[in-house]
Amino acid sequence: MEASAGLVAGSHNRNELVVIHNHEEPKPLKNLDGQVCEICGDEVGLTVDGDLFVACNECGFPVCRPCYEYERREGTQVCPQCRTRYKRLKGSPRVEGDDDEEDIDDIEHEFNIDEQQNKNKQVHVADMLHGKMSYGRGPETDENSQFPPVIAGVRSRPVSGEFPVGGYGHGEQALSSSLHKRVHPYPVSEPGSARWDEKKEGGWKERMEDWKYQQGNLGPEPDDANDPDMALIDEARQPLSRKVPIASSKINPYRMVIVARLVILAVFLRYRILNPVHDAIGLWLTSIICEIWFAISWILDQFPKWFPIDRETYLDRLSFRYEKEGEPSMLAPVDIFVSTVDPMKEPPLVTANTVLSILAMDYPVDKISCYISDDGASMLTFEAQSETAEFARKWVPFCKKFAIEPRAPEMYFTLKIDYLKDKVQPTFVKERRAMKREYEEFKVRINALVAKASKVPLEGWIMQDGTPWPGNNTRDHPGMIQVFLGQSGGHDAEGNELPRLVYVSREKRPGFQHHKKAGAMNALVRVSGVLTNAPFMLNLDCDHYINNSKAVREAMCFMMDPQIGRKVCYVQFPQRFDGIDRHDRYANRNTVFFDINMRGLDGIQGPVYVGTGCVFRRQALYGYEPPKGPKRPKMVVCGCCPCFGRRKKKYDRDEVNGESASLGVGMEDDKELLMSQMNFEKKFGQSAIFVTSTLMDQGGVPPSSSPAALLKEAIHVISCGYEDKTEWGLELGWIYGSITEDILTGFKMHCRGWRSIYCMPKLPAFKGSAPINLSDRLNQVLRWALGSVEIFFSRHSPAWYGYKGGKLKFLERFAYVNTTVYPFTSLPLLAYCLLPAICLLTDKFIMPEITTFASFFFIALFVSIFTTGILELRWSGVSIEEWWRNEQFWVIGGISAHLFAVVQGLLKVLAGIDTNFTVTSKASDDEEFGELYTFKWTTLLIPPTTVLIINLVGVVAGISDAINNGTQAWGPLFGKLFFAFWVIVHLYPFLKGLMGKQNRTPTIVVIWSILLASIFSLLWVRIDPFVMKTKGPNTTKCGINC
């Protein structure tokens, strides 16, 4: 597809498809109806008599002769539209089931059908076995080695990232012009065929020796040992990554303290339960329930961190293995997804910087395809991407010429570093100044577009050629696709090729469920599967730019590693952020989670998917299971022991039936089973081209498909009704059912047996922007917590889902359960934060008088808590300030955002009341950290403010009471004040954020909080509900005549 072809808009359900050219009238896409085959997109053609070829006389469904003959020979022999059996037409060979006919125009061929089918099956088996044995290796001399192994070699081609426009060559080889045009799943041979038996009996040993030779296990003769190239060859055979365990001197004490803390916690809880406070039984019981929940929550969070690891990658080995000098790069293609919704909350300039960093990254340009999902159908986003594509022609060659980092221009030009370091080219300063001027002009053009978009015309937006913008109604518009950078016009200012850049806006109609971001990502998966079909996909939020231009190479060190790569479903990178104040007041960096919890999960079954900065294996998103290793050989026994009699009998029976334990396992077997038993339309949808692409685990697009057919199919797969009655969102792609679709998607993959990898390069791979003011931060946490509550009450809850296969490891399940139950900690946390104030106001306490022996329990518990934290910081490298900020925001978010998430989640589950969330603003103030002090009213601020005021009132009341009662009251007061100050210190960042830069707090917050605190305090003192009361006078003190 040419980049200059224009915006393609259409609706499959309405049979509409138009191309909008700049400064031209809308034109219907030529030859898409009537004379074009609806299966492969080629012309239907004529019969031998010169008439239009009609395959089905019942409905006239347009099908070309090659597709018609293929359907009769290999398929179901019925018309795809009316399901009527195809009749034999003149000039077509006979097939089984044809009625006897008088004409003998091809009688000489009608008895060769079985022989031809067997020949085809033999070729397919050979290709599939070759695909199994050659995973992860470079090109071979075989003429079909360039093709994906699952589909027959003559029917597909390697991914180049380009949309097909006729023939395709690879080196000196080119595809034959006689290739079939059919886009269908292809037949494979079954065990028991002649070809299979031949390979099983005679060729297995030879093929194994050949495979070992290619892998280096059977190297050359000893007299080649002095070859100077052998060292380089050995280096290329080394693994592309390695697992680095944490030093035993750091991890072993950490584990010992965890076990000790568990024992101390059990002893402490036993003591608390067996020693109630009789005069304040309500306070005591509340505290016991809270402490038990905290203990369970700690166990769920702590033990998944039992096996933390680090990883190293070897980029030089990756290049040496897959990038031979003078040969085309063999690195795997990557489709990159960038999602955006509202350009007013996600500024186009931010999205443009992300796209520019993608187009300029250090990876072969013909292996990169960038897809922009505009789920808001905004003309502002469309025009901004058009400007971005033009600026990329200058920016990309500048980045690659001088190897600058980062490659997002806004971040590069604002870096406060010595940009001349390591630069030796004399022209660098001059070209940098010129490029900075070009970027500033680019920013002005983008700003002009934003200013123009602030006032929407009454008649809607009009494009430059006078055509109404198809997305004027954001809830009712056709699907739109625009190739900004493609084969034609996709070159930079120096004439070098640029990566693909494709704009996509899926169709939206009233009455359809669109599933927000998850639905948009699934639409991108299908569009990319039709147009480029790279085997790997990277998804980024619009504000997460590529900070390390070699980030994708880092991921490929795991994905393309022959040892571990085949079972890896995704590689997750940590999230890093710009624009956060030095003290990180609201724990926006979240380093405790990304540097401690995620590294712990990497040692089990892999980290959870966090929504951005993740490289996926396409086959894993398609619902396939990972390839299985070879089965263990069954025990051979003599039969003399009755315990083994049945096992031997079963083994003998299997051997007689010809079953092999070492062949036919893994992902290829799943596909063979699907090809023979499953209904592809029910699983993937009604798109023959897309279904075929799902079978190509090495990627690639069918060479026979024309650009027009691909575009029509791309519009089809993003239609709003495409997912109906399919498994999209249930078993395939991003999973629906929660606003945090990332957790569900990763969880489903892990339940199938896949593992994930956590990659932490020294130079952060991606960087984004975080909401640094208090209100936006709490709303962001609310959205995450609400998604966790939705997952907990769904059928995919980790507490009860995924036990059947037993493929999810026990500690991995612990971690997933913790991600869904942590919002419920807000209830005991809120109660525990109110207990100190209640104790101060009522002069009661949650614990009885502590003996000297019992005090050791409390001392040991506090020591174990602090020791665990210190040792955790020691092996992880997280600073104590970051750890403390995380603890503070755990309390702040727990009694505000998490509490509201639990309430909203229960309302949604029990009453069906749905809640909407807003996109977090990505814009920032011109002043550095100016957004930090921006105050935005939200009801989330009321609970923490109320808790803070109540505790301050309690402290004042407690101290006043102690002053009035004398020195004997100070002793019991210290324990109560300790807990009250614990709450106040944790809420201190909240208090600073509430006061703002000029110590100004909105009146509404002050009024509501003081009112609630006063009512609560007065009622509590008056009612005193948790304190046991005695009726009548106390006769033990004043006698019977009192």
Side-chain angles (χ1 to χ4, degrees), residues 251-435:
I251 198 63
N252 288 340
Y254 174 67
R255 292 170 176 167
M256 294 170 60
V257 171
I258 291 175
V259 175
R261 180 176 172 180
L262 186 64
V263 174
I264 293 171
L265 187 60
V267 175
F268 171 79
L269 291 177
R270 179 182 179 276
Y271 170 80
R272 292 280 285 119
I273 294 173
L274 297 179
N275 293 271
V277 182
H278 296 287
D279 61 341
I281 196 69
L283 294 175
W284 169 82
L285 183 61
T286 302
S287 65
I288 288 295
I289 295 174
C290 294
E291 289 164 3
I292 292 176
W293 179 263
F294 292 151
I296 296 173
S297 178
W298 172 76
I299 291 174
L300 291 175
D301 179 70
Q302 186 65 67
F303 279 91
K305 296 183 283 188
W306 189 264
F307 301 104
I309 61 170
D310 289 322
R311 294 185 184 271
E312 286 184 357
T313 56
Y314 303 101
L315 299 179
D316 52 343
R317 295 177 183 175
L318 179 76
S319 298
F320 189 84
R321 180 175 297 182
Y322 295 107
E323 293 182 300
K324 307 283 186 180
E325 186 176 358
E327 299 180 8
S329 173
M330 295 301 295
L331 289 174
V334 181
D335 290 336
I336 304 175
F337 303 155
V338 180
S339 58
T340 182
V341 181
D342 187 351
M344 293 303 173
K345 293 182 178 179
E346 299 168 325
L349 188 62
V350 174
T351 306
N353 272 271
T354 300
V355 172
L356 289 169
S357 68
I358 293 172
L359 299 179
M361 69 182 187
D362 184 8
Y363 208 75
V365 293
D366 60 322
K367 307 289 185 177
I368 306 172
S369 299
C370 179
Y371 292 84
I372 309 297
S373 171
D374 178 17
D375 218 30
S378 171
M379 194 170 120
L380 172 58
T381 303
F382 177 82
E383 292 182 334
Q385 291 308 309
S386 178
E387 291 285 351
T388 303
E390 290 302 316
F391 179 70
R393 302 178 193 274
K394 304 173 183 177
W395 173 251
V396 172
F398 171 76
C399 293
K400 295 187 175 182
K401 180 178 181 180
F402 299 106
I404 65 170
E405 296 284 356
R407 299 189 177 180
E410 182 70 24
M411 289 67 195
Y412 172 70
F413 288 122
T414 55
L415 281 178
K416 298 179 180 179
I417 60 173
D418 181 13
Y419 62 85
L420 296 177
K421 185 179 180 181
D422 300 328
K423 297 295 185 292
V424 296
Q425 296 95 327
T427 61
F428 172 70
V429 174
K430 180 179 179 181
E431 293 191 32
R432 184 182 185 275
R433 290 173 180 169
M435 184 53 60

Side-chain angles (χ1 to χ4, degrees), residues 636-777:
V636 179
V637 295
C638 60
C640 58
C641 178
C643 298
F644 298 98
R646 293 182 180 179
R647 183 171 297 183
K648 181 184 178 183
K649 183 178 180 181
K650 182 179 179 181
Y651 173 79
D652 292 339
R653 183 173 66 250
D654 292 346
E655 189 175 46
V656 171
N657 292 337
E659 294 182 2
S660 175
S662 59
L663 293 176
V665 294
M667 188 185 304
E668 289 80 10
D669 288 340
D670 292 340
K671 293 173 183 175
E672 295 175 24
L673 183 62
L674 285 172
M675 292 169 69
S676 59
Q677 297 179 359
M678 289 194 63
N679 185 338
F680 278 91
E681 292 183 355
K682 181 178 180 181
K683 186 177 180 68
F684 295 105
Q686 299 181 358
S687 171
I689 293 179
F690 177 70
V691 166
T692 303
S693 72
T694 63
L695 299 176
M696 302 177 181
D697 61 347
Q698 298 300 313
V701 293
S704 59
S705 299
S706 64
L710 286 179
L711 275 177
K712 183 179 181 183
E713 204 68 21
I715 291 293
H716 178 198
V717 298
I718 62 174
S719 60
C720 52
Y722 182 83
E723 296 181 354
D724 292 347
K725 299 180 181 180
T726 67
E727 296 184 5
W728 283 102
L730 301 176
E731 300 294 334
L732 310 180
W734 272 257
I735 306 301
Y736 304 149
S738 170
I739 58 176
T740 52
E741 70 289 330
D742 45 4
I743 298 295
L744 269 181
T745 303
F747 175 63
K748 292 281 285 188
M749 294 183 189
H750 283 137
C751 286
R752 295 189 188 103
W754 291 94
R755 76 149 296 133
S756 54
I757 297 291
Y758 195 53
C759 182
M760 295 180 64
K762 293 182 179 179
L763 179 64
F766 311 102
K767 281 190 176 182
S769 58
I772 63 175
N773 72 73
L774 179 60
S775 304
D776 283 347
R777 174 66 167 147

Side-chain angles (χ1 to χ4, degrees), residues 844-912:
K844 303 296 180 182
F845 202 40
I846 59 177
M847 288 181 288
E849 293 185 6
I850 302 176
T851 62
T852 304
F853 177 74
S855 64
F856 285 107
F857 297 153
F858 292 88
I859 296 174
L861 180 63
F862 281 105
V863 170
S864 66
I865 291 174
F866 285 110
T867 305
T868 304
I870 292 172
L871 292 178
E872 202 167 69
L873 301 182
R874 183 167 174 256
W875 66 255
S876 66
V878 176
S879 68
I880 191 170
E881 182 183 17
E882 292 172 325
W883 175 83
W884 174 239
R885 292 302 187 195
N886 183 79
E887 293 294 313
Q888 287 180 314
F889 197 78
W890 175 71
V891 176
I892 296 172
I895 62 177
S896 58
H898 296 175
L899 181 65
F900 276 75
V902 172
V903 175
Q904 292 180 10
L906 291 175
L907 287 175
K908 183 175 182 180
V909 173
L910 300 178

Side-chain angles (χ1 to χ4, degrees), residues 2-31:
E2 297 184 359
S4 58
L7 173 67
V8 180
S11 173
H12 177 78
N13 297 331
R14 302 185 181 188
N15 197 25
E16 299 173 354
L17 192 64
V18 297
V19 177
I20 303 174
H21 298 268
N22 289 335
H23 308 292
E24 295 181 10
E25 294 296 327
K27 299 178 181 180
L29 195 60
K30 186 177 180 180
N31 289 334

